[in-house]
Structures are given as C-alpha cells and as structure tokens.
Amino acid sequence: MKFVVDYLKGILIGSGAILPGISSGVFCVIFGIYEKLVNSILTLFHDFKKNFTFLFPIGLGAITGILLVGKLLDFLFTTYPMPTKFCFIGLILGSIPVLCKKANQGKGFRLHYLIFLLAAFFIGILSIQLEKILPNMVHISMDNGYFFYLILAGFAMSIGIVVPGVSSSVILMTLGVYTTYLNSVSTVNISVLFPMAIGVLIGSLIFLKVIQFLLNHYYCQTFYMIIGFVIGSVFILYPGFNFTLEGFISILLFATGFFVRTQI
C-alpha cells in the first residue's frame, strides 16, 4: 500500500515539472517528504536498500507523471482552471502549518526569519509577471545544433525541480525552450529530452547539495524561505473567483484539498 501511495505522490511530483506555475518541489513539501527526499538522493549508496526502496516508487511515479498524467492535469488546468487551481491552493495552504512547525524546530521562532520568508515570497510574485510576459518575448529556434543549449536548459530547469515554489516553466520560458519541451514530452522526442535529462541530472545533484548544506547549517532560515516560495506559488495559481456553480465547486475542492493535506 505504501508503494502505491508513494507512486501516486511521484506522479504529481513529475507532473509539476511540466505544468505552468507548479513546482515539483512544492508537491514534495505538500506531501511532507522534501527533506527526506533530498537526503535519500544524496546518501543513496550509504544505505542503498533503504534509500532505493523509498525513492523507487516516487521516481517511477514521476516518470509516469511527466509522460502521461501531465497531459491529464494540463487538460484539467486548461478546461477547468478555477476548480483545479483552487484544489491545489487548498493542498498548498494546508501544508503551511506543518511547515511552520518544522521551521521552528530547534531554535524556535526568530523575528528576522520573516525577512527570508518575504524575500522568497517576492521572488514567487515576480515569477507571476515573468510567466505572463516571457512567452511573447523569447523565441529561440531549436535545431539539431542546440544539444548543449538543451543541456543548459535542463540544468536551469533543475532549479525549479529542486527549489519549492520556483516554477520550471518560468525558467524554460526564459530560455525559450518551454514550447519545445512540452511538444517533446507529448511526442517522446528523445533528441530533445535526452540532453535536457542530462542537464536536469547534473543540476539536481548540485542544487540538492546546496539545499542539504543550507538545511544542515541554516535550517530555520531555509525553511522560512521554502514557506515564502510556497505562499508565493498560491498567488501564481490563483485564477480569480466568481459566484457561480463553478465557484461553489472550487470552494468545495479548496476545502477538500486543505483537509486532505492536514490529514496526511
């Protein structure tokens, strides 16, 4: 049963790598596995059996999420944007109390920690504006000669995968690769996905090391930044609201998402 649950978590984590405004890291935070995931990846061979048992269903689910379920979620985000986004907002906000409790472990709350939260929050807000204007500003022709550029794009994309609340889609839009990436996922275009996968692998290992260092030496500050990114992602997702049947359903889904997260 645990394998199935972790597999389902992995599906959503993987889908976060392709959906606009969604971060894989946020899903890891929502499910309460972010810190464990970082440590398991970086210490894989220290206790291989234990770490592999934890990572395998999540990794398998992530692949499924990228290749298959991402299309379904993309359909839901496009066809039913308000109910779908309100459900995710509920999940995200439901994780905040747990995050605050974890952030205050050890030294307890310090007022200056709010500076880190606000800094991360404003970065998240800035990404809202970037996601609106970048698709119309950046156009790069992706030919066969862009193999190393695609590795660079994958490397940059890994920031959005590792750091909660930083959208991979915004990064790929900045580099002019987002549309190419989506098309390649839909058609399983290995000539694009392979070099990007190389970049993601290299970048993820580097940025996971950075995150691990920050958690080991600046635990509270790092967690407050994560909280700031997560809160910022709510504003990225917020689709507006209207008092219709769709709005009523959206509120119900928001409450459901919030309740489910508080029970996980």
Side-chain angles (χ1 to χ4, degrees):
M1 187 63 187
K2 186 178 184 302
F3 182 95
V4 174
V5 171
D6 286 344
Y7 176 73
L8 294 175
K9 290 178 180 178
I11 287 175
L12 288 175
I13 291 169
S15 64
I18 64 175
L19 293 175
I22 300 291
S23 163
S24 295
V26 164
F27 281 120
C28 294
V29 170
I30 288 173
F31 297 132
I33 61 172
Y34 182 76
E35 195 174 354
K36 185 177 180 180
L37 196 64
V38 171
N39 290 327
S40 294
I41 292 172
L42 294 178
T43 61
L44 176 62
F45 296 105
H46 291 184
D47 190 344
F48 182 79
K49 183 178 179 180
K50 178 182 177 182
N51 289 328
F52 182 79
T53 302
F54 171 67
L55 292 172
F56 179 70
I58 296 174
L60 189 64
I63 295 172
T64 305
I66 291 173
L67 297 179
L68 299 177
V69 181
K71 294 181 181 180
L72 172 61
L73 289 178
D74 187 45
F75 168 78
L76 293 174
F77 270 80
T78 303
T79 310
Y80 306 104
M82 186 189 297
T84 305
K85 289 184 178 182
F86 265 86
C87 182
F88 279 105
I89 290 172
L91 285 168
I92 291 169
L93 291 181
S95 70
I96 300 298
V98 178
L99 286 176
C100 289
K101 185 176 179 180
K102 287 181 69 67
N104 293 326
Q105 288 177 354
K107 295 183 179 179
F109 176 73
R110 300 288 187 275
L111 188 61
H112 70 273
Y113 291 161
L114 294 179
I115 296 174
F116 298 93
L117 185 151
L118 290 172
F121 172 77
F122 284 118
I123 292 173
I125 295 299
L126 176 62
S127 69
I128 299 176
Q129 305 305 318
L130 288 175
E131 194 149 2
K132 291 177 180 177
I133 64 176
L134 283 175
N136 298 320
M137 290 179 61
V138 184
H139 301 281
I140 296 177
S141 175
M142 302 305 298
D143 299 321
N144 293 332
Y146 279 88
F147 184 86
F148 291 104
Y149 186 78
L150 289 171
I151 294 178
L152 173 64
F155 181 86
M157 179 185 177
S158 67
I159 300 173
I161 295 174
V162 171
V163 181
V166 178
S167 173
S168 298
S169 62
V170 171
I171 295 171
L172 294 181
M173 286 175 187
T174 303
L175 298 172
V177 186
Y178 185 63
T179 302
T180 301
Y181 172 63
L182 283 185
N183 293 336
S184 299
V185 169
S186 300
T187 59
V188 194
N189 185 347
I190 301 300
S191 65
V192 172
L193 295 179
F194 179 68
M196 291 190 71
I198 294 174
V200 167
L201 179 62
I202 296 171
S204 294
L205 291 174
I206 292 174
F207 293 117
L208 283 171
K209 277 286 187 183
V210 172
I211 291 292
Q212 186 185 53
F213 172 83
L214 292 174
L215 286 172
N216 288 339
H217 295 85
Y218 306 98
Y219 184 88
C220 296
Q221 296 92 323
T222 302
F223 247 95
Y224 270 97
M225 286 199 74
I226 290 173
I227 293 171
F229 279 125
V230 170
I231 295 173
S233 69
V234 170
F235 288 85
I236 297 173
L237 281 173
Y238 181 67
F241 183 78
N242 54 61
F243 294 93
T244 60
L245 177 60
E246 184 183 35
F248 177 72
I249 293 173
S250 298
I251 293 298
L252 286 179
L253 288 173
F254 168 83
T256 301
F258 187 91
F259 175 78
V260 167
R261 177 56 190 99
T262 58
Q263 302 305 309
I264 295 176

